[in-house]
Amino acid sequence: MDKEYKIAVIGLGYVGLPLAIAFSEHFESIGYDINVDRINTLNNSVDTNGDIQFIKNDNILFTNNLSDLSYANIYIVTVPTPVNPNNTPDLTLIESASSMIADMLNKDDIIIYESTFFPGVTEDICVPILEKRSGLRYNKDFYCGYSPERISPGDNQYRLNDIVKITSGSNTEIANKIDNLYKKIIKAGTYKAPSIQVAESAKLVENIQRDVNIALMNELAMMFDNMGIDTLQVLSAARTKWNFLDFKPGLVGGHCIGVDPYYLISKSEKSGYKPSLLYSSREINNHVASFIVNKTIKLMYEEGKSTEGSNILILGYTFKENCSDKRNSKVRDIEMGLKSHSCIVKIFDPYISPSASNNFISTPFEQDIKYDAIIVAVAHNEFFKYSIDDFSRISRGNLVFLD
Ligand SMILES: NC(=O)c1ccc[n+]([C@@H]2O[C@H](COP(=O)([O-])OP(=O)(O)OC[C@H]3O[C@@H](n4cnc5c(N)ncnc54)[C@H](O)[C@@H]3O)[C@@H](O)[C@H]2O)c1
């Protein structure tokens, strides 16, 4: 056990928990979260997010007691960074976590932020809070770093250990220290960025690149749909070129790709540049749910089905395939859109317990109910087992099917 650092991870969600467990294999560690239920379940070695399996070891203390943090000398912050209803960055949780750390801060401590930031959040927003409340001076009495998290929920191929970690620090010596710290836990290695702002920006670029490319596919899909051309057939043909970028059309929800572009958009606007491509990509991707609703209704009318009182089955509710994370899922927009047309909506998702709401059913096939339309909204592996015959059996009249 390395005695040099005592590590406190602040926020034990999808990002913080695996990190705290990984550090506890090398250092004495504290996992702090304000959610008492979360602490209680983690103390029983249970991750209610269903993301990781672990056995709590003796080197880690899960706690919601602030005084337990007092002996840490490295703080790693992994609290959420959502957007406000008007899509501007909501930094309240990061600000309150910084205030809390400031109250515990000792000379020579290092604070590393892992939450997704726009360039400047660490040094222009968090550091002033840390300095003001602690009375200590940045880069003289305490130090900072930024190391973005790049894991993706539900991706079992690339876990924390398998993804190169970008690191950065507030001066050369601290950057090296932070880089060496992460080298202990990341098998794939690290990439030391030249500055905190570069590390902050790199994370946003990764997610914006996906958002823009998916928006392109969504726009093409809507165009081809109008022309009566099958987009998936077009993409299969186009994919045969060696340098084709294999993005697919679909819903963009969740807490990363659908949120992070707004962070850079906001920063860019304040710096005097309005990023029109980023804006339109967000608009296109946000429009997909209503496109699906309108398309479903159109197909039903073509089959002589009215929407009033019709039964619609939606397969999949999480924000992406093969995971249980339903934060900011755009399937909810489809559900609400259909309900506004007086449809009765049932949802089956193998990752969500039917007790979550009475809309949810435990199996799509063993019900007496027949559906006027069936929408596959999320590409969970399980759904690939179903055939068109299976869907026809639970269809009322001609099958109306969207995937
Ligand atoms: N989930 C991902 O796959 C992922 C990937 C890359 C980056 N990120 C980024 O990482 C950050 C965290 O995301 P997440 O998915 O782990 O969030 P999460 O909602 O799963 O977990 C955050 C945890 O922080 C706790 N918390 C909130 N305020 C706190 C405070 N002041 N002190 C202590 N605990 C506090 C919450 O109770 C919660 O348990 C976000 O900025 C997100 O954008 C997430």
Side-chain angles (χ1 to χ4, degrees), residues 18 21 44 62 90 94 105 112 166 177 197 215 229 277 279-280 332 338:
I21 303 276
N44 290 322
F62 291 124
D90 173 2
I94 214 73
L105 210 57
I112 305 166
I166 297 176
K177 266 194 178 183
Q197 291 221 10
I229 298 169
L277 179 62
Y279 257 122
S280 13
R332 185 172 159 72
L338 290 168

Side-chain angles (χ1 to χ4, degrees), residues 123-302:
E123 293 186 292
D124 300 340
I125 294 174
C126 300
V127 164
I129 295 173
L130 293 165
E131 282 193 315
K132 192 166 173 210
R133 279 184 80 112
S134 69
L136 298 172
R137 289 158 309 163
Y138 182 48
N139 265 343
K140 289 197 172 64
D141 303 320
F142 73 93
Y143 307 89
C144 283
Y146 182 78
S147 179
E149 188 45 73
R150 305 163 106 182
I151 55 167
S152 174
D155 188 335
N156 291 323
Q157 193 184 353
Y158 293 101
R159 309 296 301 181
L160 177 66
N161 209 5
D162 310 307
I163 308 168
V164 172
K165 196 90 170 83
I166 297 176
T167 65
S168 63
S170 50
N171 64 34
T172 308
E173 189 196 343
I174 293 300
N176 288 336
K177 266 194 178 183
I178 292 174
D179 196 58
N180 287 330
L181 179 71
Y182 280 100
K183 277 200 174 99
K184 290 254 189 200
I185 62 160
I186 309 285
K187 196 176 64 198
T190 58
Y191 175 89
K192 196 170 30 149
S195 71
I196 287 177
Q197 291 221 10
V198 167
E200 290 170 327
S201 307
K203 165 71 190 175
L204 293 178
V205 167
E206 290 164 20
N207 283 347
I208 287 169
Q209 189 184 61
R210 292 191 65 75
D211 195 44
V212 170
N213 279 288
I214 296 169
L216 173 63
M217 291 301 142
N218 279 332
E219 180 143 82
L220 290 170
M222 291 187 259
M223 286 161 61
F224 286 130
D225 185 74
N226 252 348
M227 298 174 203
I229 298 169
D230 184 326
T231 305
L232 296 182
Q233 289 179 0
V234 174
L235 295 182
S236 295
R239 197 175 291 126
T240 56
K241 192 176 179 198
W242 75 93
N243 59 359
F244 181 76
L245 302 178
D246 195 9
F247 287 91
K248 296 178 185 66
L251 297 164
V252 181
H255 47 276
C256 286
I257 299 181
V259 168
D260 298 352
Y262 293 120
Y263 270 65
L264 196 59
I265 286 172
S266 144
K267 172 74 181 183
S268 179
E269 282 193 332
K270 284 192 181 122
S271 320
Y273 180 81
K274 189 171 175 188
S276 52
L277 179 62
L278 271 59
Y279 257 122
S280 13
S281 301
R282 285 283 66 242
E283 264 175 33
I284 291 167
N285 288 340
N286 282 340
H287 176 64
V288 172
S290 64
F291 172 81
I292 292 172
V293 170
N294 293 338
K295 173 93 183 166
T296 306
I297 288 162
K298 179 170 170 266
L299 291 176
M300 283 171 60
Y301 279 134
E302 283 170 10

Side-chain angles (χ1 to χ4, degrees), residues 10-16 32-35 38 49 78-82 93 96-97 100 114-117 148-153 203 207 255-256 260 325 327:
I10 311 297
L12 298 171
Y14 284 88
V15 170
Y32 174 85
D33 201 293
I34 47 173
N35 181 341
R38 182 79 176 149
N49 287 341
T78 62
V79 302
T81 44
L93 296 174
S96 64
M100 182 195 82
E114 286 222 9
S115 302
T116 303
F117 283 178
E149 188 45 73
R150 305 163 106 182
I151 55 167
S152 174
K203 165 71 190 175
N207 283 347
H255 47 276
C256 286
D260 298 352
D325 192 343
R327 289 176 295 173

